[in-house]
Amino acid sequence: MERSAGSSRHRRRRVRPLLGGAVAVVAAGALGVTGLVSTAQAADINVARNAGFESGLAGWTCSGGSGAAVSSPVHGGSSALKATPAGQDNAKCTQTVAVKPGSTYTLSSWVQGGYAYLGASGTGTTDVSTWSPGSSSWTQLRTTFTTGPSTTSVTVYTHGWYGQAAYVADDVEVTGPDGGGGTDPGPSIPGAPAGLAVSTTTSSSVALTWNAVSGATGYTVYRDGTKATTSTGTSATVTGLAADTAYQFSVSATNAAGESVKSATVSGRTAKTATGPGPTTSVPKHAVTGYWQNFDNGAAVQKLSDVPADYDIIAVSFADATATPGAVTFNLDSAGLNGYTVAQFKADIKAKQAAGKNVIISVGGEKGAVAVNSDASATAFADSVYALIQEYGFNGVDIDLENGLNSTYMTKALRSLSSKAGSGLVITMAPQTIDMQSTSGEYFKTALNIKDILTVVNMQYYNSGSMLGCDGKVYSQGSVDFLTALACIQLEGGLAPSQVGLGVPASTRGAGSGYVAPSVVNAALDCLAKGTGCGSFKPSRTYPDLRGAMTWSTNWDATAGNAWSGAVGPHVHGLP
């Protein structure tokens, strides 16, 4: 969410990369049409050398000294490539590999970090490439190419994008017939993981950690001898457990060669069902969320008591980071809010709750730098948010982290908070559109990880440019199709309809781009809930339990005469 009037916190977003993605789609489509995609034969090998960067950058050349072998993060083995774009250099790393003429090869690599491209040139036909818009977890890029009738070598490459963050690549494969260069030795079955330990527990989950195993590309976690979950890292959370119950856990390591023997078992007992103080209100079936600004950025300055009754959830924006990683606090800006005192603020929270409203504390925003990326920071986050709940009487927490989110540790933090606060805790999230394009994204994974305690995800349908809908088509923001086709991704990606809301600006001044009139919001709500009012995109089914809508902010709404809440609020509450 934005703290400054009319700012665009997504200026880093995607003009050239969208073009690159379109090229990749076209290239992939062309391959499919001409029948170039084929399954690797039994004799096929990986013709790339030092494909896992275990020998540093041997065999690879990186532009401008942009690349380096690193020991963390790695997808498999003990090393990976990290390359950092700078200035006019896109951090391109290349290797020339020997290939057989007139043959089909599959090119793949695991990547994470900033924008990452993977491709091959000099195939004798046409260059091919694919890309990822960036991810904090490992994502596999894959494409295919066919060599020309006289092609004996091709150049495979990775690169990032100008002005974007560093990318990490590992486990490159160019799989096809041996072109005379042979291949690196194949992997061997990894050893059993050591150091398995229970990190945190809740009444329904147990979080585990273990030591990395050389050569492993993944891990399988067993609960009482039965497969419970998998992980590509050295931690996992087993969910869906009974309260106050002991379980036995073990873990194995896996790679292309097979699965190791299981580790020594550890015992973990879930916590007792929480009995601590919980929120005093409940969220209605169809709800309106509004962010209340604890600062003056040119919008109307409000007290909580000024927020219209159309809002069911009021997200106080924002909590502040402390010197302790993961920990937050709240500082009421009394001076900026015309002398609004802490005592008045707390009294207004109670008054809103007495009227059946929920007041929650929002963490993050445009300038919020709260990092939850370790067990210690997850604990600090849960403990500090719970302390704010106790001090101010907040009903819950909103996650609006725009500086990155780690699904493993945010899941731990929110489950720990839930075990402290009780079953009535309200948990909302406000991811950006790019964060919910795929279930492999960290925000989407977090939402699915806490689905049993999650209230609603109010994705921000603004400041994002064009995005893919659930039908694979590209939609431009500011339209009913943009709202419905992108909401469909969440609705069909595992979230319950009651956990999906439409987040939009309250006025043209509330965001840099993406404003839609309240009538468009209402049409999108009708399209999703009732199948009426749709644009060119119409979902294959309706979602009558759709939660509702969210806006940034109640202050910008007030600046525009509360036109947004006055139109959208009654419409949301009138949904079936």
Side-chain angles (χ1 to χ4, degrees):
M1 301 299 175
E2 301 171 356
R3 298 187 186 222
S4 57
S7 67
S8 178
R9 51 190 171 73
H10 302 291
R11 288 196 179 98
R12 65 182 184 276
R13 211 186 278 283
R14 270 141 307 269
V15 176
R16 288 173 292 185
L18 280 176
L19 294 175
V23 171
V25 171
V26 171
L31 289 171
V33 170
T34 55
L36 301 184
V37 179
S38 64
T39 303
Q41 301 300 310
D44 288 351
I45 64 171
N46 181 12
V47 298
R49 308 306 299 266
N50 189 27
F53 304 96
E54 302 304 307
S55 300
L57 296 185
W60 294 88
T61 301
C62 295
S63 61
S66 58
V70 296
S71 59
S72 178
V74 297
H75 179 263
S78 58
S79 295
L81 165 69
K82 181 176 182 180
T84 307
Q88 296 302 308
D89 179 51
N90 63 359
K92 187 173 185 178
C93 298
T94 63
Q95 179 182 143
T96 300
V97 300
V99 294
K100 188 174 181 180
S103 302
T104 298
Y105 290 81
T106 298
L107 171 64
S108 66
S109 177
W110 290 88
V111 298
Q112 69 165 271
Y115 289 93
Y117 289 73
L118 175 70
S121 60
T123 64
T125 53
T126 183
D127 294 352
V128 296
S129 66
T130 184
W131 72 290
S132 165
S135 172
S136 59
S137 60
W138 288 104
T139 300
Q140 189 178 39
L141 297 177
R142 180 185 293 268
T143 187
T144 60
F145 63 87
T146 294
T147 57
S150 59
T151 304
T152 58
S153 67
V154 301
T155 299
V156 296
Y157 62 83
T158 63
H159 70 74
W161 199 253
Y162 309 98
Q164 300 298 316
Y167 69 91
V168 182
D170 201 3
D171 296 332
V172 179
E173 292 190 11
V174 188
T175 306
D178 186 359
T183 185
D184 289 336
S188 58
I189 295 177
L196 180 63
V198 174
S199 56
T200 60
T201 63
T202 71
S203 59
S204 62
S205 68
V206 172
L208 303 162
T209 60
W210 54 88
N211 298 334
V213 176
S214 178
T217 58
Y219 300 90
T220 301
V221 178
Y222 293 86
R223 183 196 72 201
D224 294 337
T226 301
K227 180 178 177 180
T229 188
T230 60
S231 174
T232 57
T234 56
S235 64
T237 300
V238 181
T239 60
L241 307 179
D244 195 22
T245 302
Y247 296 90
Q248 297 294 314
F249 299 95
S250 59
V251 62
S252 65
T254 59
N255 63 15
E259 181 178 8
S260 74
V261 297
K262 297 175 184 176
S263 70
T265 60
V266 297
S267 178
R269 177 177 287 275
T270 51
K272 296 180 179 180
T273 302
T275 58
T280 58
T281 64
S282 61
V283 178
K285 177 181 179 181
H286 300 298
V288 177
T289 301
Y291 285 79
W292 175 85
Q293 298 177 189
N294 179 40
F295 49 86
D296 180 4
N297 66 344
V301 173
Q302 289 182 315
K303 298 177 181 178
L304 280 182
S305 56
D306 297 326
V307 176
D310 290 303
Y311 290 100
D312 304 290
I313 302 174
I314 303 169
V316 172
S317 312
F318 295 95
D320 298 308
T322 72
T324 302
V328 297
T329 188
F330 177 72
N331 300 291
L332 186 69
D333 184 14
S334 296
L337 302 182
N338 299 328
Y340 193 27
T341 67
V342 171
Q344 289 173 317
F345 177 71
K346 291 181 177 179
D348 285 347
I349 290 176
K350 290 182 178 180
K352 284 294 183 183
Q353 291 169 337
K357 310 302 179 183
N358 294 267
V359 182
I360 62 178
I361 181 66
S362 181
V363 178
E366 178 194 10
K367 300 178 181 178
V370 179
V372 180
N373 51 20
S374 66
D375 285 325
S377 59
T379 299
F381 181 89
D383 289 347
S384 60
V385 173
Y386 184 58
L388 293 180
I389 289 174
Q390 291 179 303
E391 179 179 357
Y392 291 94
F394 293 127
N395 296 87
V397 65
D398 169 69
I399 307 301
D400 182 22
L401 295 176
E402 298 176 11
N403 60 324
L405 183 148
N406 183 302
S407 60
T408 298
Y409 295 106
M410 182 53 73
T411 296
K412 290 183 178 182
L414 293 175
R415 288 201 171 277
S416 176
L417 177 62
S418 176
S419 69
K420 297 172 183 291
S423 59
L425 181 73
V426 174
I427 300 178
T428 69
M429 301 172 71
Q432 302 165 82
T433 51
I434 190 65
D435 296 321
M436 302 300 285
Q437 284 275 283
S438 168
T439 54
S440 65
E442 292 299 288
Y443 248 108
F444 214 139
K445 287 196 293 187
T446 302
L448 294 176
N449 286 347
I450 63 165
K451 184 177 177 180
D452 56 315
I453 58 174
L454 174 65
T455 306
V456 63
V457 175
N458 291 306
M459 190 176 77
Q460 303 175 43
Y461 293 76
Y462 50 95
N463 287 345
S464 64
S466 299
M467 286 286 164
L468 291 174
C470 67
D471 57 354
K473 295 180 180 179
V474 177
Y475 293 94
S476 299
Q477 64 180 3
S479 66
V480 66
D481 288 331
F482 189 77
L483 301 179
T484 55
L486 269 67
C488 175
I489 297 176
Q490 300 168 62
L491 292 163
E492 295 298 321
L495 293 181
S498 63
Q499 294 173 321
V500 176
L502 306 181
V504 298
S507 73
T508 56
R509 298 178 63 189
S513 63
Y515 171 76
V516 291
S519 59
V520 176
V521 180
N522 290 344
L525 292 168
D526 287 344
C527 177
L528 294 169
K530 300 185 290 186
T532 62
C534 301
S536 61
F537 172 81
K538 185 171 183 178
S540 59
R541 59 193 178 108
T542 58
Y543 310 92
D545 291 333
L546 187 77
R547 179 66 76 176
M550 171 275 281
T551 195
W552 176 264
S553 62
T554 65
N555 304 74
W556 285 117
D557 186 24
T559 304
N562 292 319
W564 189 90
S565 58
V568 177
H571 198 85
V572 167
H573 298 139
L575 291 174

